Amino acid sequence: MRRTIALLLVVCMIFVGCKVKNATKSKNVEEVINDKVEEAKEEKAQTSETAEKGEKKLSIVTTVFPAYDWAREITKDNKNVELTMLLDNGTDLHSFQPSADDIVKIVNSDVFIHVGGESDNWVKDIIKNNPSDTRKVINLVELLGDEVKTEELKEGMTVTEHAHDHGHKDEHDEHEHEDEHDHDHDHDHDHDHDHDHKDEHDDHEHEDEHDHDHDHDHDHHHGPEVDEHIWLSLKNAKHLVKGIAEKISEVDPANELYKENAKAYIAKLDELDKEYEKTTSNLKNKTLIFGDRFPFRYMIEDYNLDYYAAFVGCSADVEASFETIKFLSDKVDELDIDTIFIIDKSDGKIARTIAQTAKKENIKIEALDSMQTTTAEDVKNGVNYLGIMEDNLKKIASL
């Protein structure tokens, strides 16, 4: 509990400080931090008390919507489960930072499910500083194993700092435009460095920084970034649902419901996967044009499709270069494309510009849902993973 309080003190100062200044003039930062600490103490005490009475609910906390929905399917019909989705207000995975309340939920959970890519680097310190013999932490990237892909810098994309070198600023930056593709390949080197270098003297500054905090910098400094959008593959989903069910069953071994529910749900995923295979195999045009970020690499490669896009999946940019607009509009004409895709909550500005630049007329703009901005209100209104994937297939089928 002391570790929890210590961590909350740090996190509250980082994540709550700005809000405190605006929202609570009558309280200073220290008072708000103390309030959070007391809340954590009370919640922990209440959890222990109900556990003694045999009334403790199984607490499952997830970051993103797909994991939440999978867990909901796995645990359905069990009223003794408390399920929480942290990214419940439309915040994108790549810009999310946990609040103090979020951290309390994670620390007090029985099962915590997160994606595990670079966007989840904040998870490591929370877990490290709050060890538990009973809590199961499910890292979906690790669970997926060798099927994980890296982000792809595709021909025609606007090269951003994120895609170009993700975090590096060095002498190559001034040559970014002319060397964009070569530079990306230069950084595609082996991730498997010796972890034991932490205890050795090294004269090279970069290696010193790497060894100072290998876990944190691994994703930042070594080649292409892991593509975190692993849920946008039904084949991945089948594997991940099975793994999540097994981990939940380890926490609550007396309940055979989880694996049974998982088996039934995987059958539905498999059925939709076959519909995707059938539909995509009959497409007249097997290339998708995205006037937006592109988080759908897993799905595209599952069904042997191709694509061109303005940005990689994790790009934070909203303005495409002239070269990218010209390249994509030329592809629209060359491939006789009828539809330009965007992702959920996009303003569609880039897609409209591409459509206006192309010679082809009557081009449609359609949004494919990447499930990165699904809210608690959406869930309340019946939105679910299978339904979103079905809607995406209908839009792809119109190509």
Side-chain angles (χ1 to χ4, degrees), residues 165-189:
D165 195 6
H166 200 81
H168 279 293
K169 286 187 179 180
D170 55 32
E171 65 272 15
H172 295 289
D173 286 353
E174 61 187 272
H175 304 295
E176 179 178 6
H177 177 71
E178 65 184 41
D179 294 331
E180 59 189 42
H181 300 300
D182 291 336
H183 187 77
D184 181 68
H185 289 299
D186 287 341
H187 285 268
D188 188 13
H189 58 275

Side-chain angles (χ1 to χ4, degrees), residues 54-73:
E55 300 171 357
K56 182 179 182 296
K57 286 193 172 185
L58 181 69
S59 171
I60 302 175
V61 175
T62 76
T63 52
V64 296
F65 165 73
Y68 172 88
D69 199 50
W70 295 339
R72 181 172 59 173
E73 289 289 341

Side-chain angles (χ1 to χ4, degrees), residues 100-116:
D101 288 335
D102 293 332
I103 292 171
V104 170
K105 291 172 184 175
I106 294 169
V107 170
N108 290 339
S109 67
D110 297 299
V111 179
F112 174 52
I113 309 170
H114 68 108
V115 176

